[in-house]
């Protein structure tokens, strides 16, 4: 039987291995009563809740009933199942969007959901592993220590002594998930024309991307592979911890992994009591997120507080690798360059990057869009660091998408969700945090120090405009990179000079020569400013040999050119 086909037997046995919107649509089109009943249930729950909120406002009962309403919305999301629970989990990371009373209740959705029957969970473990519980584990907690949207977790020990977490998937997930995805897809066709994002048909693509990831998330074998790939990417990073997977005790519906001792990122009091610096935790979280996007291209798309822990030694521990995605090399490079274009206020180049990333079609005339980009992003960049946040850009950009032919590629919907969630986590630790304080220095440092030809090409694209070398941009990038205490200017300058005198650096030398010939002057003021930036880190004598070679080569080529 085709595993992507959808039938009654497939549905009941959870044997649909990959997301197929056509198969799901075909299945529920033949059973409209299921969709109607589910839709009425959703509308009834939220309709009654909205009416109660309106009545509270009319009769001045908002303050009196606020805790009651907060608990009520959590219970509604819980009753509606995993799809709606995940919406609540995403909202629980946004203290700048959600009222505090609602936030405290939504946080419980991360790992404080009602567990399913314990005997049923143990029978699933024994069936999946083909082992008795006592043969698989020396010890296992009599009750789950956490319950989430897709499964619940037990704490135990293997017979070899390792402390482990045992994840057991909730039974009969497939009927609820597929029906919700069917309704979301159906609703997307009716809702998209009225949305401010003007997503059009792309809204259905976003639903499909979410469906694909959700199907991957309920396959624990896939999660185990993702965890090992993620661990390999961070094997040399002393600030990130990834739990080991025990494959002998893992299957599609059961996952056994290393137990992580740490503190949930929204447990501020415990983190402070442990003597951990919240700013350091934020820095590790943001930089590890940027590494996922810009270095490895393999990123965690569901970084809510239930999946991230601060460890006693200061490391950040990631768990739950069900929802992951992969970026191409070109996408990674373009994202990095677009951040720098934003820093340098080159909105025309930024528009071209949007075309490369798929936010605009190749045939789009970008010139009318450039002033709009300048208005939106210029306003954000002009704000002080204390007033800037990622949400500011996403909100303003939403309005821009309504007026111009922007679209959100499905993959970037996950990236945006991940970035917004990470910023929300950081805000829960420090309300004064702004993501640019960490991200801009990181991106600048990466472009300045990366030795790959592709990233060097991106750097050159940033540093040259209309055939002219932009000294101010280089100065700006160095100044921003230096705000990262791990940035060492000496080896960076050495790499730059070595590149300049190499065969690969011929293009850069030629562009510099053209600039010198055209202006008929040495850019002494720019050089002085850059040299000022090099102090006090640089020990000039260490660089003079390479610098003298570069200057001599440039001088000889300049004389020859003239």
């Amino acid at each position: 039987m085709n595993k992507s086909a959808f039938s009654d037997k497939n549905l009941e046995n959870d044997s649909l291995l990959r997301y197929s919107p056509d198969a799901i649509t075909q299945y529920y089109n033949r059973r409209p009563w299921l969709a109607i009943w589910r839709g009425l249930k959703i509308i009834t729950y939220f309709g009654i809740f909205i009416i109660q909120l309106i009545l509270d406002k009319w009769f001045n009962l908002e303050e009196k009933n606020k805790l009651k309403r907060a608990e009520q919305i959590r219970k509604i999301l819980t009753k509606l199942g995993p799809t709606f629970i995940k919406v609540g989990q995403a909202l629980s990371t946004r203290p700048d969007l959600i009222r505090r009373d609602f936030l405290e209740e939504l946080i419980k959705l991360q790992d404080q959901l009602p567990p399913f029957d314990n005997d049923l969970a143990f029978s699933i473990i024994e069936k999946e592993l083909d082992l008795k519980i006592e043969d698989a584990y020396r010890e296992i907690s009599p009750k789950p220590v956490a319950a989430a949207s897709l499964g619940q977790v037990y704490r135990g020990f293997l017979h070899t002594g390792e402390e482990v977490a045992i994840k057991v998937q909730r039974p009969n997930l497939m009927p609820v998930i597929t029906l919700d995805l069917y309704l979301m897809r159906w609703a997307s066709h009716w809702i998209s024309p009225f949305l401010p994002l003007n997503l059009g048909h792309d809204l259905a693509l976003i639903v499909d991307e979410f469906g694909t990831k959700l199907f991957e998330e309920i396959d624990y074998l896939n999660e185990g592979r993702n965890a090992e790939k993620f661990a390999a990417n961070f094997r040399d990073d002393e600030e990130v911890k990834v739990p080991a997977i025990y494959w002998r005790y893992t299957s599609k519906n059961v996952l056994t992994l290393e137990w992580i001792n740490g503190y949930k990122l929204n447990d501020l009091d415990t983190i402070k009591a442990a003597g951990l610096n919240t700013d350091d935790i934020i820095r590790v979280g943001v930089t590890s997120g940027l590494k996922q996007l810009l270095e490895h291209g393999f990123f965690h798309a569901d970084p809510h507080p239930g999946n991230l822990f601060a460890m006693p030694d200061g490391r950040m521990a990631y768990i739950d690798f069900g929802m992951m995605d992969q970026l191409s090399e070109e996408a990674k490079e373009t994202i990095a360059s677009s951040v720098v274009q934003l820093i340098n206020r080159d909105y025309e180049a930024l528009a071209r990057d949007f075309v490369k990333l798929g936010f605009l079609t190749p045939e789009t005339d970008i010139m009318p869009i450039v002033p709009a980009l300048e208005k939106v992003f210029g306003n954000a960049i002009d704000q002080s660091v204390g007033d800037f946040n990622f949400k500011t850009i996403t909100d303003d950009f939403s309005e821009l998408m309504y007026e111009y032919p922007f679209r959100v590629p499905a993959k970037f919907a996950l990236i945006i969700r991940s970035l917004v969630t990470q910023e929300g986590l950081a805000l829960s630790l420090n309300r004064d945090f702004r993501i640019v304080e960490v991200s801009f220095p990181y991106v600048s440092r990466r472009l300045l120090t990366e030795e790959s030809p592709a990233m060097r090409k991106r750097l050159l694209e940033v540093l040259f405009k209309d055939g002219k070398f932009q000294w101010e941009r280089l100065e700006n990038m160095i100044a921003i990179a230096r705000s990262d205490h791990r940035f060492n200017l000496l080896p960076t300058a050495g790499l730059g000079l070595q590149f300049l005198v190499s065969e690969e650096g011929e293009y850069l030398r030629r562009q510099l020569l053209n600039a010198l010939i055209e202006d008929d002057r040495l850019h002494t003021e720019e050089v002085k400013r850059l040299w000022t930036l090099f102090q006090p880190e640089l020990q000039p004598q260490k660089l003079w040999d390479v610098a003298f070679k570069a200057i001599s080569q440039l001088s000889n080529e300049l004389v020859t050119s003239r």
Side-chain angles (χ1 to χ4, degrees):
M1 178 181 290
N2 187 339
K3 292 297 186 181
S4 67
F6 206 77
S7 67
D8 290 342
K9 186 176 180 180
N10 289 146
L11 183 59
E12 292 169 2
N13 296 334
D14 289 0
S15 59
L16 184 68
L17 297 184
R18 57 186 174 85
Y19 175 65
S20 172
D22 292 336
I24 291 173
T25 299
Q26 183 181 15
Y27 179 87
Y28 286 109
N29 279 347
R30 296 199 304 265
R31 298 162 180 82
W33 61 90
L34 295 175
I36 292 172
W37 176 249
R38 177 66 171 170
L40 287 175
K41 185 178 181 180
I42 294 168
I43 292 171
T44 300
Y45 277 146
F46 284 110
I48 292 173
F49 179 73
I50 292 170
I51 290 172
Q52 289 174 327
L53 289 180
I54 294 173
L55 291 175
D56 286 345
K57 187 173 183 179
W58 283 358
F59 294 102
N60 295 318
L61 296 174
E62 290 177 289
E63 186 64 26
K64 179 181 177 180
N65 290 337
K66 66 178 184 179
L67 296 180
K68 180 180 178 181
R69 298 296 176 234
E71 182 181 8
Q72 189 177 354
I73 190 64
R74 174 180 59 82
K75 288 182 176 178
I76 288 173
L77 295 174
T78 301
K79 288 178 181 178
L80 289 176
T83 309
F84 290 88
I85 289 170
K86 287 198 166 293
V87 173
Q89 289 174 344
L91 291 174
S92 72
T93 65
R94 297 303 305 190
D96 53 334
L97 292 180
I98 304 299
R99 288 171 16 185
R100 182 176 179 81
D101 48 323
F102 277 39
L103 193 71
E104 290 175 353
E105 286 294 323
L106 292 178
I107 285 172
K108 296 176 182 178
L109 294 174
Q110 292 159 9
D111 57 7
Q112 298 180 44
L113 293 168
F116 62 93
D117 183 74
N118 202 63
D119 291 337
L120 177 57
F122 281 8
S123 68
I124 291 174
I125 293 175
E126 292 184 340
K127 180 181 178 182
E128 290 286 323
L129 302 185
D130 195 24
L131 287 170
K132 293 290 185 183
I133 289 288
E134 58 270 21
D135 293 334
Y137 307 105
R138 187 187 75 194
E139 182 182 330
I140 187 170
S141 57
K143 295 182 179 180
V145 295
S149 57
L150 302 181
Q152 57 196 38
V153 180
Y154 294 85
R155 188 173 184 174
F157 288 86
L158 298 178
H159 287 284
T160 49
E162 293 94 335
E163 188 174 15
V164 294
I166 305 115
K167 292 177 61 174
V168 187
Q169 192 172 117
R170 292 181 182 272
N172 303 317
L173 277 179
M174 196 65 72
V176 177
I177 289 174
T178 53
L179 182 51
D180 282 343
L181 290 170
Y182 171 79
L183 289 172
M184 289 170 64
R185 245 181 149 263
W186 175 84
S188 69
H189 295 294
W190 292 95
I191 294 173
S192 57
F194 305 101
L195 287 180
L197 294 182
N198 192 27
L199 294 174
H201 68 282
D202 285 340
L203 186 57
L205 294 179
I206 291 173
V207 174
D208 289 342
E209 180 75 11
F210 174 69
T212 299
K213 294 305 168 187
L214 198 53
F215 267 62
E216 292 176 359
E217 195 170 359
I218 60 177
D219 180 358
Y220 285 170
L221 291 172
N222 178 69
E223 181 177 342
R225 291 189 291 268
N226 286 343
E228 292 196 336
K229 181 177 179 179
F230 194 89
N233 288 341
F234 283 93
R235 60 182 174 274
D236 298 324
D237 193 320
E238 298 179 353
E239 296 181 319
V240 174
K241 168 66 178 177
V242 181
I245 304 297
Y246 297 96
W247 288 106
R248 173 61 185 87
Y249 309 102
T250 293
S251 70
K252 185 177 183 295
N253 297 309
V254 175
L255 176 64
T256 303
L257 65 161
E258 179 184 358
W259 181 265
I260 295 294
N261 288 300
Y263 316 108
K264 290 174 63 174
L265 291 193
N266 55 359
D267 192 352
L268 185 57
D269 292 338
T270 304
I271 288 174
K272 288 184 176 180
L276 297 175
N277 186 307
T278 54
D279 287 343
D280 285 342
I281 294 172
I282 291 171
R283 178 189 57 77
V284 173
V286 174
T287 54
S288 63
L290 290 168
K291 284 181 180 179
Q292 293 169 51
L293 289 176
L294 302 180
E295 292 186 32
H296 311 308
F298 187 61
F299 66 93
H300 198 298
D302 194 23
H304 65 72
N307 293 337
L308 293 170
F309 291 85
M311 300 185 69
D313 58 7
R315 288 183 295 172
M316 178 79 74
Y318 283 81
I319 65 170
D320 197 343
F321 299 91
M323 189 173 287
M324 309 290 290
D325 211 340
Q326 182 74 51
L327 286 173
S328 66
E329 287 296 322
E330 183 179 7
K332 289 190 301 180
E333 297 156 11
T334 306
I335 290 172
S337 69
S338 64
V339 173
V340 179
Q341 310 296 7
L342 182 61
I343 296 171
N344 290 321
R345 303 170 187 269
D346 190 340
Y347 300 106
E348 184 177 341
L350 183 62
R352 289 195 294 269
D353 282 342
F354 279 143
V355 173
K356 293 177 184 176
L357 293 173
F359 284 88
L360 294 167
T361 59
E363 62 272 12
T364 302
D365 181 8
I366 65 171
M367 297 316 296
I369 299 175
V370 171
L373 287 175
E374 183 173 2
K375 181 180 179 181
V376 169
F377 291 107
N379 289 339
I381 297 300
D382 285 339
Q383 295 182 72
S384 66
V385 172
D387 295 329
F388 182 97
N389 59 48
F390 186 74
K391 182 179 176 295
T392 302
I393 288 184
T394 55
D395 286 349
D396 290 344
F397 193 60
S398 295
E399 296 299 322
L400 188 66
M401 294 182 72
Y402 182 76
E403 299 177 21
Y404 295 94
F406 281 94
R407 59 185 181 181
V408 178
K411 189 178 295 291
F412 282 92
L414 283 176
I415 294 175
I416 292 169
R417 177 180 181 272
S418 177
L419 290 173
V420 170
T421 302
Q422 288 186 60
E423 185 180 62
L425 277 174
L427 289 171
S428 69
L429 293 172
N430 179 359
R431 294 196 66 86
D432 296 325
F433 166 79
R434 295 297 175 259
I435 199 167
V436 293
E437 294 179 317
V438 178
S439 59
F440 279 11
Y442 172 84
V443 174
S444 293
R445 175 169 59 86
R446 175 155 166 72
L447 278 172
L448 287 168
T449 58
E450 179 60 55
E451 296 186 55
S452 71
M455 199 59 77
R456 281 178 173 174
K457 180 182 177 183
R458 295 292 182 189
L459 176 61
L460 292 179
E461 290 174 357
V462 169
L463 294 179
F464 283 94
K465 185 176 182 180
D466 299 328
K468 294 184 179 180
F469 189 83
Q470 305 297 307
W471 296 95
E472 186 176 349
R473 289 188 179 185
L474 179 58
E475 178 186 358
N476 192 26
M477 287 183 66
I478 293 174
I480 291 173
R482 281 186 61 192
S483 65
D484 183 340
H485 68 277
R486 294 178 299 172
F487 177 67
N488 190 334
L489 196 54
L490 178 59
T492 302
L495 284 172
L497 288 171
Q498 289 172 11
F499 174 69
L500 185 64
V501 300
S502 68
E503 291 185 15
E504 190 182 351
E506 181 182 356
Y507 171 79
L508 177 58
R509 293 199 305 274
R510 186 167 63 251
Q511 295 299 321
L512 286 173
L513 288 171
N514 290 339
L516 293 173
I517 294 170
E518 180 178 333
D519 293 343
D520 200 30
R521 65 183 178 88
L522 290 174
H523 294 256
T524 54
E525 291 303 318
E526 288 86 345
V527 173
K528 285 180 181 178
R529 287 205 306 271
L530 287 172
W531 187 256
T532 301
L533 284 173
F534 290 176
Q535 303 299 332
E537 292 97 329
L538 283 186
Q539 300 175 34
Q541 192 59 44
K542 289 186 177 181
L543 286 176
W544 274 127
D545 289 344
V546 179
F548 181 76
K549 181 179 179 181
I551 293 170
S552 299
Q553 188 166 346
L554 278 170
S555 298
N556 292 335
E557 293 184 7
L558 179 62
V559 171
T560 303
S561 300
R562 285 177 166 169

